């Protein structure tokens, strides 16, 4: 390298060290130069300051590079630590200019090879460093990034769009699909022809076999007309040619109504008999030129028809109508039908059936007469025009019984053909539309559903019938309607299990059999014989199946027949030893009560039937005849509660015989031991004689030791009345039967005796005195004894009454004491009416015959009504109070103090179980105050259940409880849902902040007071929040109360809708709020509307990098920006809204905003449906050019007419026109020949042009 020739301006060569022989060899190859002397070597000006033997040249250059790199790092550190003070910037600039000058100008002094630059180079480097220092220290922006981006876009042109993906702007800005289509107009000879110009609908069927298609001829005399017909079923086409002869015939018919008016258009009526799509394909006039024809298609379809597919006419409540309409027509189809209920119209309905093919032009509005857009219909698909058979199911719930009728009124197909059936809906006419394939109406009779249940029999109450007897199963029928029973025969079924197979739990066994029977109207039930379990399973009327209600099961049993067993025992005579009767034991089986019939026959006498009834299974029957003789007893029949028809016992030979001979005897019929009578009156006593007549009776009467004996002979009747002489002396008499003798002559001594008391005087009655008067004040309900003064013989029969109840019958009582009392229970004036003693009637003292009784008033209680307490129905309701407040109720008493009160306190707390306690208190005066319990929130009821005073104890029958109710409202509570949590807020109010959730307990609405205290301030801020309607409240702290830093938020007090308030403790949980600064964003342009392809730019404030949150097309998106500029390309239309922004210092604190930009789609236009269409017109005629726009009206567009060039040549623009449209379609009539196409389009917001002006696209936003 050292041998390489160098220019004078090149760096000097680097000296090489030579050590050893290698160095000698290297030097041998070089030209030999005379060695300098020592003196010359030390004085060489090119020698480096640092000798190479210490540090060689490359290492010295490396050290210089490291030193320069260190200076650069120091310089950049000063740049990043630079503050915005202008003095500091100048000082740093001067500092680095000095350092750079020392370094650059001092570097050549080191004489390092390759670093020995000329003074010009050093100066240029110094100037460059000085400029660089100025840019850094004074922060002069250099658009390096812009230069780099501009250079990169030459090779890679992509931008971030609003959808956060990179797109090529040229593809968005230059969209060739916005303007499509053109129309070419050729001038044809004069005249025109149009098929069906009025777009009349045509249809044919079996009744209408042909239709006349109108062909309008305007100033032309055709000699040939060709119609193109496309078959609807096969899509095959055929050409129908109408020759001159047929045309003349049709024109002759067309001339008749017009007469001599040759200028009016003619209408040729050409008859067709086949369905299809008809188009006027070619018309040739007399000059053998084609006549202009207006593009118009005519459909001839099958006439629409509809009919009912009828079903059964009998329905039940809850059934669906379940029938359908059969419609044959070309869709879209519209059917109208009417609904009648019981002959009255119940609503008209309309049904629409869309076409199956989405391409059907009949389902959309047409701007022209063409149904097929193609100029040629050779391969067109017209299946959409075929008649479509559709079945429409009508399923309506029938919830009302009666007569329903559905009538088809009208059917219309997609072409506009209408068939009306209204005139055929005549009652009982039987008419049908001539072309209709079925009935036009559907009738229903909706019946009520029957219901069945058993009456008087269930699992707890079985039916019991005698064996071999039948009984009617108590079936009760009803229906779901207002009528109690559905008329007509009903078919029922039941499940039967014989009694031997019934399970122990009264369920059916495996031997169960399903039986069916009919039940006629008003039948009492179904007759059943066999015992067992019967369960109803189903019920059906003549029209409907019904429901089985409970009870549906009944158990039928056959109890055992009643039986009788007897045992006898002789009753002997104690005196003579003869039998005087029989004692018969009856043992019975069956169902009580029993009725046993037997006959008694005395020898030689008649048969006497007798009956014994008993509820016991064992009883005794005593057969003791009064007369002697031979008696025969035969048990004839027995019956019980089930077997009511007497069952004969004759086959069991249950008969008894006995011989009876009773001894002679006599006794008083009246069993009383003594008789009483008045003085001077006789006494008559009845005596019964036993034995054989005639009898001889001996008796005696004893009084005061004197005995009078009497005797009576020849008594033939066994009942004898013994009458004494008049008893003239008062006192006691004894009447005794001493002996009796019957026919046998056997005298039997008797010991029958009775006493006769003869009164000495007549009785007398009067009321006695109590404390000197005949008036008494007593306690209500207590028994009051009124004193009487009686004279006569005990007992006395007193008759009295309460004069205050004149309508009541007198009361009779029996008294035994002469100073006795009568007991009364009611207040009033009592009057003595009559008195009898034991023997005689007496007299009442007219002076002392009345006595008055009055009641002491009973205690009562009443609550003092006020504004805080009112009577509602049967209870007092006291105004609600807050928990812990003091409250009481005033109670007033009537009666005799002191009062003892007992009340029941019932608490129904808001939480927990209810509790009841009984409390008592005494009141010494007629007024008391009851303290209300307010320590527990909830509903409190105080029921005064018992009240007594000094006079009366508590009587629940006389005392009506007093109920007092009060609602104790719980003290509201407010707590932070997340106590101790730290929330973050933003400095600016637009940036929002976290909501602090607060849980509230109590009755809304709440009133809340919150304390906010900044860490650097001792004075808190108070926030009052009224009208909180929910139990959860999200507190959003007003930004005006917040400053940068930390705040402590505490709830001070809370009040609810009941007026209850709670103050929170100082140590209650609180939350903290940290407030941070937030970034900002502003739009660089004030406009709101943008077009696709525009760029939307914003300026950001804060510390980069930024996160920008926005929504576009309903989706939330997030974008990042490393600089203070944020820009996006409007790629698609939609609403672009900036919702929030964060920067590096406020990641958790979003600055919420709402900057909305609306991106509008570019306007578009389609000429001739976006295709190239060719239209032939006659001279003077006009062709319709259809413009279809996309975008926001109004539309301004410019279109050109160019020449029709020969093949291989360019067309020339002949005319340029501008127009405006306020709709999305516009038709322009053109009569000039040429090519019509749009070159620019503009809507309300945007514009687009295919022409370029000054090298730029014509796309722009309109304002």
């Amino acid at each position: 390298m050292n041998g390489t020739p160098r220019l004078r301006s090149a760096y000097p060569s680097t000296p090489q060290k030579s050590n050893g022989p290698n160095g000698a060899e290297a030097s041998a190859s070089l030209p030999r130069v005379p060695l300098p002397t020592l003196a010359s070597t030390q004085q060489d000006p090119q020698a480096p300051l640092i000798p190479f033997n210490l540090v060689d040249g490359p290492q010295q250059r490396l050290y210089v590079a490291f030193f320069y790199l260190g200076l650069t790092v120091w310089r950049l550190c000063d740049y990043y630590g630079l503050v915005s003070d202008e003095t500091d910037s100048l000082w740093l600039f001067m500092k680095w200019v000095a350092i750079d000058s020392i370094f650059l100008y001092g570097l050549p002094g080191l004489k390092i090879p390759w670093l020995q630059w000329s003074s010009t180079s050093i100066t240029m480097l110094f100037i460059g460093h000085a400029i660089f220092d100025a840019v850094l220290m004074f922060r002069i922006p250099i658009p390096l990034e812009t230069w780099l981006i501009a250079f990169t876009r030459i090779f890679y042109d992509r931008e971030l769009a609003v959808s956060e993906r990179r797109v090529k702007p040229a593809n968005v800005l230059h969209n060739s699909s916005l303007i499509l289509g053109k129309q070419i107009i050729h001038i044809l000879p004069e005249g025109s022809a149009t098929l069906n110009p009025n777009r009349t609908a045509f249809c044919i069927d079996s009744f209408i076999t042909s239709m006349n298609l109108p062909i309008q001829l305007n100033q032309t005399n055709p000699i040939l007309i060709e119609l193109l017909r496309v078959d609807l079923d096969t899509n095959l086409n055929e050409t129908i040619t109408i020759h001159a002869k047929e045309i003349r015939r049709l024109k002759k018919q067309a001339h008749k109504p017009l007469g001599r008016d040759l200028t009016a258009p003619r209408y040729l009526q050409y008859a067709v008999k086949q369905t299809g799509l008809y188009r006027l394909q070619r018309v040739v006039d007399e000059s053998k030129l084609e006549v202009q024809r207006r593009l118009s298609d005519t459909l001839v379809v099958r006439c629409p028809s509809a009919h009912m597919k009828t079903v059964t006419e009998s329905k039940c409540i809850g059934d669906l109508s379940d029938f359908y309409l059969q419609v044959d027509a070309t869709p879209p189809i519209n059917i109208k039908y009417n609904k009648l209920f019981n002959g009255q119209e119940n609503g008209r309905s309309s049904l629409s059936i869309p076409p199956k093919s989405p391409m059907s032009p009949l389902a959309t509005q047409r701007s022209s007469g063409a149904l097929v857009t193609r100029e040629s219909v050779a391969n067109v698909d017209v299946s959409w025009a075929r008649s479509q058979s559709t079945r429409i199911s009508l399923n309506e719930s029938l919830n009302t019984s009666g007569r329903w009728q559905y009538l088809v009124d009208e059917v219309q197909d997609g072409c506009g053909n209408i068939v009306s059936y209204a005139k055929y809906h005549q009652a009982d006419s039987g008419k049908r539309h001539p072309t209709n394939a079925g009935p036009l109406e559907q009738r229903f009779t909706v019946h009520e559903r029957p219901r069945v249940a058993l009456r008087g029999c269930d699992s707890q109450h079985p039916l019991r019938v005698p064996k071999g007897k039948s009984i009617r199963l108590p079936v009760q029928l009803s229906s779901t309607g207002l009528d109690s029973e559905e008329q007509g025969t009903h078919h029922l079924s039941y499940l039967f299990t014989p009694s031997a197979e019934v399970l122990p739990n009264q369920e059916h066994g495996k031997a169960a059999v399903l039986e069916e029977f009919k039940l006629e109207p008003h039948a009492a039930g179904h007759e059943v014989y066999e015992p067992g379990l019967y369960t109803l399973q189903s019920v059906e009327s003549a029209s409907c199946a019904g429901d089985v209600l409970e009870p549906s099961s009944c158990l039928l049993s056959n109890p055992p027949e009643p039986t009788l067993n007897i045992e006898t025992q002789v009753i002997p005579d104690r005196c003579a030893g003869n039998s005087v009767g029989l004692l018969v034991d009856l043992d019975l089986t069956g169902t009580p009560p029993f009725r046993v019939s037997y006959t008694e026959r005395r020898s030689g006498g008649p048969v006497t039937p007798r009956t014994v009834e008993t509820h016991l299974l064992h009883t005794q029957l005593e057969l003791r005849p009064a007369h002697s003789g031979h008696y025969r007893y035969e048990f004839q029949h027995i019956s019980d509660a089930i077997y009511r028809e007497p069952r004969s016992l004759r086959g069991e030979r249950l008969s008894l015989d006995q011989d009876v001979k009773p001894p002679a005897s006599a006794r008083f019929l009246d069993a009383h031991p003594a008789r009483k009578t008045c003085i001077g009156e006789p006494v008559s006593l009845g005596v019964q004689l036993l034995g054989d007549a005639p009898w001889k009776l001996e008796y005696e009467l004893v009084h005061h030791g004197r005995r009078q004996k009497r005797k009576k002979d020849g008594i033939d009747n066994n009942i004898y009345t013994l009458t004494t002489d008049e008893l003239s002396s008062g006192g006691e008499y004894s009447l005794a039967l001493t002996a009796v003798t019957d026919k046998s002559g056997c005298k039997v001594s008797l010991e029958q005796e009775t006493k006769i008391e003869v009164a000495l005087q007549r009785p007398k009655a009067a009321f006695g005195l109590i404390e000197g008067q005949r008036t008494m004040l007593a306690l209500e309900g207590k028994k009051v004894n009124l004193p009487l003064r009686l004279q006569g013989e005990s007992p006395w029969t007193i008759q009295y009454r309460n004069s205050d109840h004149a309508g009541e019958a007198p009361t009779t009582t029996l008294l035994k004491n002469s100073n006795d009392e009568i007991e009364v229970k009611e207040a009033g004036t009592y009057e003595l009416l009559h008195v009898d003693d034991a023997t005689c009637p007496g007299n009442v003292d007219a002076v002392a015959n009345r006595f008055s009784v009055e009641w002491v008033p009973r205690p009562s209680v009443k609550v003092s009504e006020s504004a805080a307490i009112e009577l509602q129905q049967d209870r007092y309701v006291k105004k609600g109070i807050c928990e812990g407040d003091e409250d009481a109720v005033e109670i007033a008493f009537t009666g005799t103090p002191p009062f003892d009160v007992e009340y029941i306190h019932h608490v129904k707390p808001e939480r927990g179980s209810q509790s009841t306690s009984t409390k008592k208190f005494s009141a010494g005066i007629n007024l008391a105050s009851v303290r209300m319990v307010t320590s527990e929130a909830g509903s409190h009821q105080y029921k005064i259940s018992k009240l007594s005073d000094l006079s009366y104890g508590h009587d629940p029958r006389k005392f009506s409880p007093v109920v007092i109710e009060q609602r104790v409202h719980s003290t509201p509570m407010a707590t932070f849902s997340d106590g101790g949590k730290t929330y973050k807020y933003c400095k600016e109010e637009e940036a929002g902040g976290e909501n602090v959730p607060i849980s509230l307990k109590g009755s809304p609405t709440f009133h809340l007071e919150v304390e906010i205290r900044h860490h650097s301030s001792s004075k808190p801020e108070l926030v009052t929040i009224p009208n909180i309607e929910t139990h959860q409240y999200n507190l959003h702290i007003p930004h005006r109360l917040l400053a940068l830093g930390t705040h402590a938020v505490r709830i001070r007090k809370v009040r609810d809708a009941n007026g209850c308030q709670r103050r929170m403790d100082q140590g209650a949980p609180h939350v903290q709020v940290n407030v941070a600064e937030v970034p900002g964003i502003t739009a660089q342009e004030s406009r709101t509307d943008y077009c696709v392809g525009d760029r939307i730019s914003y300026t950001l404030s804060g510390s980069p990098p930024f996160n920008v949150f926005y929504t576009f097309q309903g989706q939330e998106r997030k974008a990042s920006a490393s600089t203070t500029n944020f820009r996006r390309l409007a790629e698609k239309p939609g609403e672009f809204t900036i919702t929030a922004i964060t920067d590096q210092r406020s990641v958790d604190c979003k600055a919420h905003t709402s900057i909305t930009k609306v991106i509008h789609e570019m306007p578009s236009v389609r000429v001739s449906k976006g295709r190239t269409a060719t239209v032939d017109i006659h001279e003077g005629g006009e062709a319709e050019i259809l413009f279809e726009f996309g975008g926001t009206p109004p539309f301004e567009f410019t279109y050109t007419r160019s020449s029709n060039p020969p093949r291989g040549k360019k067309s020339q623009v002949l005319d340029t026109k501008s127009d405006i449209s306020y709709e999305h379609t516009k038709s322009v009539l053109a009569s000039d020949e040429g090519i019509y196409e749009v070159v620019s389009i503009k809507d309300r917001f945007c514009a687009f042009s295919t022409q370029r002006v000054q090298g730029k696209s014509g796309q722009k936003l309109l304002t």
Side-chain angles (χ1 to χ4, degrees), residues 842-909:
N843 301 315
V844 175
D845 189 348
V847 177
N849 66 336
R850 292 178 177 273
F851 203 104
S852 297
V853 178
E854 296 178 359
W855 294 142
V856 176
R858 299 189 68 88
S860 63
V861 62
K862 183 179 180 181
V863 178
S864 302
E865 295 188 39
S866 64
I869 186 169
E870 59 180 6
L871 181 63
Q872 296 181 4
Q873 295 181 352
D874 59 344
R875 60 195 59 206
Y876 292 91
V877 178
K878 189 167 177 58
K879 185 178 179 181
I881 196 169
C882 298
E883 183 179 2
D885 291 353
E886 293 291 334
D887 196 10
V889 62
E890 296 293 334
I891 299 176
F893 301 99
T894 58
T896 307
F899 301 93
D900 293 325
V901 182
E902 179 178 311
Y903 65 92
I904 300 173
H905 178 209
H906 179 78
V907 183
K908 186 178 181 181

Side-chain angles (χ1 to χ4, degrees), residues 844-1096:
V844 175
D845 189 348
V847 177
N849 66 336
R850 292 178 177 273
F851 203 104
S852 297
V853 178
E854 296 178 359
W855 294 142
V856 176
R858 299 189 68 88
S860 63
V861 62
K862 183 179 180 181
V863 178
S864 302
E865 295 188 39
S866 64
I869 186 169
E870 59 180 6
L871 181 63
Q872 296 181 4
Q873 295 181 352
D874 59 344
R875 60 195 59 206
Y876 292 91
V877 178
K878 189 167 177 58
K879 185 178 179 181
I881 196 169
C882 298
E883 183 179 2
D885 291 353
E886 293 291 334
D887 196 10
V889 62
E890 296 293 334
I891 299 176
F893 301 99
T894 58
T896 307
F899 301 93
D900 293 325
V901 182
E902 179 178 311
Y903 65 92
I904 300 173
H905 178 209
H906 179 78
V907 183
K908 186 178 181 181
E910 294 180 352
R911 293 176 297 275
S913 59
Q914 303 181 20
S915 62
T916 302
S917 60
T918 303
K919 299 182 180 180
K920 299 179 181 180
F921 70 91
S922 297
I925 58 176
N926 289 16
L927 189 65
S929 178
V930 179
R931 185 173 177 272
M932 314 300 281
V933 178
T934 61
S935 59
E936 186 175 9
S939 178
H940 292 253
Q941 184 187 79
Y942 304 85
K943 181 179 180 181
I944 301 178
S945 56
K946 293 183 180 181
L947 175 65
S948 62
D949 62 356
L950 185 62
S951 301
Y952 291 94
H954 175 69
D955 187 352
R957 296 172 299 176
K958 300 293 183 178
F959 177 72
S960 297
V962 177
V963 178
I964 304 171
E965 291 184 350
Q966 185 181 40
R967 181 75 183 182
V968 177
H969 304 293
S970 61
T971 304
M973 184 67 183
T975 58
F976 292 106
S977 300
D978 298 320
K981 182 178 177 180
T982 300
Y983 295 88
K984 296 182 179 180
Y985 268 66
C986 304
K987 180 65 175 66
E988 297 298 330
E989 187 171 358
E990 302 84 42
E994 294 184 81
N995 290 329
V996 181
I998 298 177
S999 299
L1000 299 153
K1001 295 181 181 179
S1003 300
T1005 18
F1006 297 98
H1007 185 96
L1008 197 64
E1009 185 175 297
V1010 180
E1011 173 188 296
I1012 304 172
R1013 187 187 301 272
H1014 193 270
H1015 70 281
S1016 62
S1017 174
S1018 59
K1019 182 180 180 181
E1021 296 285 348
L1022 299 182
V1023 178
T1024 301
I1025 307 165
N1027 303 326
I1028 301 176
E1029 301 293 342
T1030 60
H1031 290 87
Q1032 286 294 130
Y1033 179 72
N1034 292 326
L1035 172 63
H1036 187 81
I1037 302 175
H1039 284 73
R1040 59 182 174 81
L1041 304 178
L1042 299 176
L1044 291 176
T1046 303
H1047 302 73
V1049 181
R1050 186 177 67 85
I1051 299 173
R1052 293 190 65 174
K1053 64 181 178 180
V1054 59
R1055 186 174 72 248
D1056 64 1
N1058 298 318
C1060 301
Q1061 179 173 298
R1062 180 194 292 265
R1063 287 187 173 272
M1064 311 305 292
D1065 298 335
Q1066 287 290 337
H1070 66 280
V1071 297
Q1072 289 187 341
V1073 175
N1074 287 335
V1075 182
E1077 188 67 55
V1078 296
I1081 181 171
T1082 57
Q1084 293 183 359
E1085 296 178 280
S1086 61
R1087 60 173 176 160
T1088 304
D1089 298 301
Y1090 287 78
C1091 299
V1092 172
D1094 289 348
R1095 292 170 177 84
I1096 307 175

Side-chain angles (χ1 to χ4, degrees), residues 1139-1186:
T1139 59
I1141 180 175
T1142 62
D1143 63 357
Q1144 185 181 18
R1145 291 184 301 180
S1146 59
V1147 178
D1148 296 330
C1149 189
K1150 288 184 180 179
H1152 292 277
T1153 185
S1154 179
I1155 305 176
T1156 301
K1157 306 293 184 181
V1158 180
I1159 303 172
H1160 301 277
E1161 63 177 347
M1162 295 299 296
S1164 62
V1165 61
R1166 302 287 188 273
V1167 182
S1168 299
K1169 301 293 183 181
R1171 301 181 179 89
T1172 300
T1174 302
V1175 180
D1176 296 330
I1177 64 174
H1178 287 275
E1179 187 68 32
E1182 292 180 333
E1184 181 183 40
I1185 304 175
L1186 178 64

Side-chain angles (χ1 to χ4, degrees), residues 55-56 194 201 231 274 313 491 526 555 561 673 762 801 827 1002:
V55 181
D56 59 7
T194 307
D231 190 88
Q274 292 179 303
E313 295 187 357
H491 296 266
H526 177 61
L555 184 64
E561 296 180 345
R762 295 285 180 176
R801 69 178 178 184

Side-chain angles (χ1 to χ4, degrees), residues 359-374:
M359 304 302 294
S360 174
L362 299 178
T364 59
Q365 293 184 353
R366 292 180 290 154
S367 59
S368 64
L371 293 173
V372 181
T373 57
R374 299 181 184 177

Side-chain angles (χ1 to χ4, degrees), residues 260 282 600 712:
R260 298 182 178 181
R282 193 161 71 100
E600 179 185 34
K712 185 65 175 176

Side-chain angles (χ1 to χ4, degrees), residues 56-122:
D56 59 7
Q59 288 182 348
Q60 290 186 33
R61 288 194 296 272
L62 181 62
Y63 294 152
V64 170
F66 284 157
F67 182 76
Y68 182 76
L69 182 61
L71 290 177
T72 303
V73 172
W74 185 16
R75 190 195 326 267
L76 293 178
C77 289
D78 284 349
Y79 168 72
Y80 282 109
L82 184 66
V83 293
S84 59
D85 188 35
E86 201 171 302
T87 303
D88 293 340
S89 298
L90 180 62
W91 182 87
L92 289 175
F93 170 71
M94 295 173 64
K95 164 187 170 182
W96 283 104
V97 167
I99 293 174
D100 289 339
S101 64
I102 294 172
F103 174 77
L104 293 174
Y105 285 104
L107 186 62
L110 298 176
K111 298 181 181 181
I112 299 173
W114 293 14
L115 296 181
Q116 298 181 23
W117 301 317
S118 64
S119 59
T120 304
S121 300
I122 295 296

